[in-house]
Amino acid sequence: MTADFIIGLAGQAVFTVLKVSAPMLLLGLIVGLIVSIFQATTQIQEQTLAFIPKIVAVLLAILLFGPWILTTLVDFTYNIFNNLYKYIG
């Protein structure tokens, strides 16, 4: 294994983490923005009001995108083991 291989593998891992976490982060961001606008217009400044809709949105995103996330992670893991097998075997 060379240093280029390890650096490339680390880059792929970071990209995979970003790609897998993007749906939850984006939905949490959108829901947080909507709740913030609602709080600003109604002048309700309850701190706990923002958390429950975000938690529900992230949970729904996990349920909705779960199969895609699992497939992406399994493919990445398969590629890691396949590349390790090439270098070892």
Side-chain angles (χ1 to χ4, degrees):
M1 281 193 235
T2 63
D4 292 334
F5 174 74
I6 300 298
I7 291 171
L9 187 62
Q12 287 177 353
V14 169
F15 180 72
T16 302
V17 167
L18 290 174
K19 186 169 65 169
V20 164
S21 64
M24 283 81 66
L25 291 174
L26 287 175
L27 277 176
L29 177 72
I30 291 168
V31 169
L33 183 64
I34 291 170
V35 169
S36 295
I37 290 171
F38 174 75
Q39 283 182 327
T41 56
T42 60
Q43 295 182 355
I44 299 173
Q45 297 303 322
E46 180 64 33
Q47 295 296 326
T48 58
L49 181 64
F51 291 112
I52 293 176
K54 283 189 215 175
I55 291 171
V56 170
V58 170
L59 179 65
L60 288 176
I62 289 172
L63 291 175
L64 238 126
F65 292 101
W68 173 77
I69 291 170
L70 185 63
T71 302
T72 304
L73 291 176
V74 167
D75 289 343
F76 178 71
T77 306
Y78 176 77
N79 287 336
I80 287 176
F81 286 140
N82 196 21
N83 286 331
L84 286 176
Y85 180 72
K86 287 179 187 177
Y87 278 104
I88 293 172

